[in-house]
Amino acid sequence: MSAELRITLAGAERVVEPGTTYGQALEADGRTVIAARVNGELRDLASYAVPGDVVEPVAIDSADGRAILRHSAAHVLAQAVQELFPEAKLGIGPPVDNGFYYDFDVAHPFQPDDLKRVEKRMREIVKQGQVFSRRVVSDEEARAELAAEPYKLELIGLKGGAADEETVEVGGAELTIYDNLDPKSGELCWKDLCRGPHLPSTRVIPAFKLMRTGGAYWRGSEKNPQLQRIYGTAWESRERQDDYLKLLEEAERRDHRKLGAELDLFSFPPELGSGLPIFHPKGGIIRKEMEDYMRQRQLEAGYEFVNTPHLTKSSLFETSGHLPWYGEDMFPAFELDGVDYRVKPMNCPMHNLIFRARGRSYRELPLRLCEFGSVYRYEKSGVVHGLTRVRGMTQDDSHIYTTQEQMGDELKSLLTFVLSVLRDFGLDEFYLELSTRDDSEKFIGEQADWDEATEALRQAAEESGLDLVADPGGAAFYGPKISVQAKDAIGRTWQLSTIQLDFNQPKRFGLEYQAADGSRKTPVMIHRALFGSVERFLGVLVEHYAGAFPPWLAPVQVVGIPIAEAHAPYLQDVAKKLRERGIRVEVDTADDRMQKKIRNAQKAKVPFMLLAGDDDIANGAVSFRYRNGEQKNGVPVEEAVAEIIGAVERRIQV
């Protein structure tokens, strides 16, 4: 028997001694390279190599490395909490985007002072350099060791896919516990049920910070106990963490909920219920501009507007397949005249009825139906968030019916159309995500149809020249989709427009058209929501622009500010000229001093201010002031009017 073993290390074959760990094979320092990817799976550096392994390093600043770092920080958090609050029972503690959390069952919610104590103890654990040590256990051993942890006992039953979920604790073929060991004595400091992998030791955590607390239902179900969740962030360096914290400060400054109130755009009256916004006159102007723009663009592109009711018999969603597959996201049914009705959560089934209302010919295709349709979805209270996650929304919804031969060209044209619209709204950095079917049972239809639909979307996406990211299992139950992911002004990514290809609903509704040869054929259906919803898109725009909308979207485009009361009639005449050209203008005739009026206009983020005094009136001019504080004096009125109109018509930012 050979006393050596062969592995593939970073693409090259290597011979190592038996008993070599992945850390030794990689010559990892445990700080920059913190784990190994072995045969495609993440492993601890302390695990031993076996013959035939293909080993790659995992850097702490990679996506996988950050997830491992944050998961390890979550363990340190849980250890600190249980040391300070011995009665706390453990939930789960996964890494998430930009951070981590851990759920606890405690008698009382955590207070700000509690977080300070927990974070202090965490820093002591990090400084101690406790070793993360993996240990395989049987179900019986795990239950015995974790007898005092009821939520962990529940998770043990999920091992090996016994339930349709995996967690950071369980989900593989075996159960493992991670021990935190004292680096000097080797004594056990703390332990947790966990799949791993982890950092070599707590000392490898370079930077972390606890952020906030909140409530969360165990395993996401409102039927389960509510636990207390502590959120934190962790990064590969203090510099990266500082950058992230600055980003959060800027995001808070741009929060659309705060700006919506400050700018008098919209509100969320508790009398209406969670997730049901109302739009004030200024917010209504922005919505109208958005919708008017989209109506015009769609008319130019050959769309036909339709209108459908807010209610329907529940049986319509049985036909479409939504009720069995999407029912949890619908509002409950109510009975009327012995029949169950529902408020609609989507428009597509009703558009299918419009297509089916009369005979259709191939000469009519592509048939592009569109609607600003109000829909209602039962979002759980814990995920409702301002305008970006609501229960009542307006979708700029379109359903396009094509032949299979037209499908590819229509998808490419549609993607070009979508991107051009987003660019007009000031978004210009995108990538695409292709959501496809996986092996789960949450999808309907034949695999061959899915394959054809997925390939058509893939080709359209690739021809766009944008980066394409795979999202296995993320498709709608009836078909694959492309989603446009757009970056905002501070680099955050938002899912906006979606294009979904559907071979299934046309069959379920019996949709047909007469082909050129006289035969009856089933059309292909394309679902397209460009804004996603008007509410969500507006919320994104508020944050993208920090409330300082480009002139064409600004609720008030111009404010006239007289230097003295006697100058107001002159500015009223200027305002009249602007209104005649469709400009939204106000003249501030309040008793305030001029400087306060300027501050008020800047606070309201009005794009243009026109000031007038004696010299301006004598010369038929205005002082032209921008919201960034720049000012041009003595600008002839006609030039000022032309500049304002030009900025609005070209949809530029100022």
Side-chain angles (χ1 to χ4, degrees):
M1 179 179 294
S2 173
E4 59 186 28
L5 58 90
R6 296 178 182 274
I7 63 173
T8 301
L9 188 65
E13 188 174 88
R14 283 268 305 272
V15 176
V16 298
E17 295 294 324
T20 298
T21 66
Y22 297 122
Q24 291 168 336
L26 290 166
E27 298 179 351
D29 60 4
R31 289 190 173 274
T32 54
V33 173
I34 48 84
R37 181 174 290 280
V38 182
N39 307 323
E41 295 186 1
L42 295 172
R43 302 290 297 274
D44 297 306
L45 290 180
S47 297
Y48 293 105
V50 299
D53 277 344
V54 177
V55 185
E56 299 170 293
V58 176
I60 194 170
D61 61 355
S62 66
D64 286 333
R66 286 182 181 140
I68 293 168
L69 159 65
R70 290 163 182 164
H71 188 193
S72 298
H75 273 227
V76 174
L77 164 61
Q79 179 180 350
V81 166
Q82 287 202 313
E83 289 181 359
L84 295 171
F85 303 90
E87 79 286 357
K89 304 301 181 187
L90 300 175
I92 60 172
V96 293
D97 288 346
N98 300 316
F100 59 91
Y101 68 79
Y102 213 112
D103 292 338
F104 304 94
D105 190 346
V106 287
H108 305 287
F110 294 108
Q111 301 301 312
D113 285 345
D114 295 332
L115 257 61
K116 292 178 183 178
R117 293 173 59 209
V118 171
E119 186 170 300
K120 180 182 178 183
R121 178 58 189 140
M122 288 177 69
R123 298 197 184 283
E124 292 168 353
I125 294 170
V126 167
K127 187 176 181 180
Q128 188 179 356
Q130 294 179 12
V131 176
F132 289 101
S133 180
R134 181 177 184 269
R135 176 164 52 91
V136 177
V137 292
S138 67
D139 288 21
E140 293 73 19
E141 290 170 332
R143 288 191 176 95
E145 290 194 44
L146 300 168
E149 297 287 356
Y151 301 103
K152 299 296 183 181
L153 294 177
E154 183 177 333
L155 292 175
I156 291 171
L158 304 179
K159 177 178 68 73
D164 292 334
E165 62 178 296
E166 291 190 354
T167 71
V168 292
E169 281 79 10
V170 297
E174 59 187 9
L175 284 178
T176 53
I177 285 177
Y178 271 79
D179 297 325
N180 279 26
L181 304 177
D182 183 282
K184 296 178 180 178
S185 68
E187 292 181 0
L188 177 67
C189 301
W190 186 79
K191 62 186 174 185
D192 195 5
L193 181 71
C194 185
R195 295 169 62 192
H198 280 283
L199 301 174
S201 82
T202 60
R203 190 180 289 275
V204 182
I205 299 174
F208 73 91
K209 180 178 177 61
L210 297 185
M211 306 299 292
R212 58 189 173 91
T213 64
Y217 290 106
W218 170 238
R219 293 175 62 189
S221 173
E222 295 177 2
K223 299 176 183 178
N224 290 334
Q226 188 175 65
L227 308 181
Q228 291 300 305
R229 177 172 292 179
I230 297 180
Y231 294 90
T233 191
W235 294 85
E236 65 272 16
S237 69
R238 292 187 183 277
E239 292 75 17
R240 286 292 291 115
Q241 180 164 291
D242 288 344
D243 290 344
Y244 174 68
L245 296 176
K246 289 175 184 175
L247 175 66
L248 289 185
E249 289 177 6
E250 179 62 20
E252 184 176 357
R253 186 180 74 84
R254 293 170 177 261
D255 189 323
H256 72 276
R257 297 167 298 176
K258 178 172 73 76
L259 289 172
E262 291 175 359
L263 300 175
D264 194 21
L265 303 180
F266 48 79
S267 59
F268 302 88
E271 294 88 345
L272 296 184
S274 177
L276 299 170
I278 56 174
F279 287 82
H280 304 184
K282 289 181 179 179
I285 288 172
I286 301 173
R287 282 189 64 133
K288 182 179 182 298
E289 287 293 333
M290 292 167 59
E291 293 177 10
D292 287 351
Y293 167 86
M294 276 306 302
R295 284 189 174 91
Q296 185 60 37
R297 287 295 306 266
Q298 289 181 117
L299 288 171
E300 292 170 358
Y303 287 79
E304 299 178 62
F305 279 88
V306 299
N307 190 263
T308 58
H310 293 227
L311 304 176
T312 176
K313 293 178 180 178
S314 294
S315 56
L316 181 67
F317 299 116
E318 291 279 7
T319 301
S320 68
H322 286 96
L323 198 53
W325 297 96
Y326 195 79
E328 290 186 358
D329 297 305
M330 296 184 186
F331 278 96
F334 61 93
E335 186 178 318
L336 186 65
D337 299 330
V339 178
D340 279 350
Y341 283 79
R342 289 180 184 263
V343 292
K344 65 176 179 179
M346 67 284 298
N347 301 299
C348 45
M350 295 185 181
H351 289 190
N352 288 334
L353 297 182
I354 294 173
F355 185 98
R356 201 177 69 183
R358 64 171 176 82
R360 301 287 178 179
S361 164
Y362 73 96
R363 298 180 188 276
E364 298 178 69
L365 306 184
L367 177 64
R368 305 180 183 100
L369 303 181
C370 60
E371 174 180 14
F372 284 96
S374 296
V375 298
Y376 305 89
R377 297 177 179 176
Y378 179 63
E379 298 282 5
K380 293 180 180 178
S381 58
V383 300
V384 170
H385 182 82
L387 293 181
T388 58
R389 200 73 179 264
V390 293
R391 288 174 168 170
M393 70 198 82
T394 302
Q395 287 192 310
D396 64 319
D397 222 355
S398 173
H399 296 95
I400 303 164
Y401 302 87
T402 77
T403 69
Q404 279 190 266
E405 294 76 18
Q406 296 167 334
M407 174 180 66
D409 288 341
E410 186 69 17
L411 287 172
K412 295 168 191 173
S413 173
L414 182 54
L415 188 52
T416 299
F417 176 75
V418 164
L419 295 174
S420 73
V421 168
L422 294 178
R423 289 187 176 105
D424 274 355
F425 280 94
L427 299 162
D428 55 15
E429 190 173 351
F430 314 107
Y431 70 89
L432 304 178
E433 191 170 79
L434 178 59
S435 300
T436 55
R437 179 176 182 166
D438 61 16
D439 295 331
S440 67
E441 297 181 356
K442 64 179 182 178
F443 304 103
I444 62 173
E446 299 298 323
Q447 185 64 49
D449 289 343
W450 277 83
D451 291 343
E452 183 177 355
T454 300
E455 185 55 30
L457 286 173
R458 188 189 314 280
Q459 288 183 15
E462 289 176 348
E463 289 196 20
S464 74
L466 297 175
D467 290 340
L468 182 62
V469 175
D471 176 31
F477 71 89
Y478 50 75
K481 69 177 179 181
I482 288 174
S483 58
V484 179
Q485 311 283 334
K487 283 192 176 181
D488 68 9
I490 59 173
R492 296 171 301 178
T493 299
W494 301 87
Q495 178 180 306
L496 296 178
S497 312
T498 57
I499 300 171
Q500 298 173 299
L501 202 48
D502 186 354
F503 285 21
N504 288 297
Q505 280 202 56
K507 293 178 181 178
R508 296 176 74 95
F509 279 87
L511 304 186
E512 291 183 333
Y513 67 92
Q514 183 171 315
D517 62 4
S519 63
R520 309 297 298 176
K521 291 189 175 180
T522 301
V524 176
M525 183 179 184
I526 302 172
H527 305 246
R528 187 229 69 196
L530 201 153
F531 290 154
S533 75
V534 174
E535 290 78 7
R536 175 177 166 78
F537 194 74
L538 199 157
V540 171
L541 289 181
V542 171
E543 299 201 6
H544 176 60
Y545 288 116
F549 290 99
W552 76 282
L553 287 173
V556 177
Q557 296 165 321
V558 182
V559 167
I561 300 176
I563 292 176
E565 184 178 349
H567 306 130
Y570 175 77
L571 283 176
Q572 293 286 11
D573 290 340
V574 175
K576 184 174 182 291
K577 293 180 181 180
L578 287 166
R579 290 192 190 100
E580 289 170 352
R581 302 293 298 273
I583 299 300
R584 297 183 290 275
V585 56
E586 297 176 353
V587 176
D588 189 343
T589 57
D591 293 334
D592 299 322
R593 296 172 65 86
M594 181 187 71
Q595 290 302 325
K596 184 174 182 183
K597 293 179 180 182
I598 291 173
R599 288 195 299 272
N600 288 342
Q602 288 177 322
K603 187 176 179 181
K605 303 182 186 294
V606 177
F608 301 110
M609 287 163 270
L610 300 182
L611 286 68
D614 291 338
D615 290 345
D616 296 303
I617 293 174
N619 296 313
V622 291
S623 293
F624 202 119
R625 187 180 180 91
Y626 302 89
R627 62 183 159 202
N628 65 359
E630 294 180 10
Q631 184 167 316
K632 295 189 295 187
N633 297 323
V635 179
V637 168
E638 294 306 319
E639 286 185 22
V641 169
E643 180 172 341
I644 292 166
I645 291 170
V648 171
E649 290 179 346
R650 288 181 288 137
R651 298 190 181 89
I652 61 172
Q653 179 62 298
V654 297

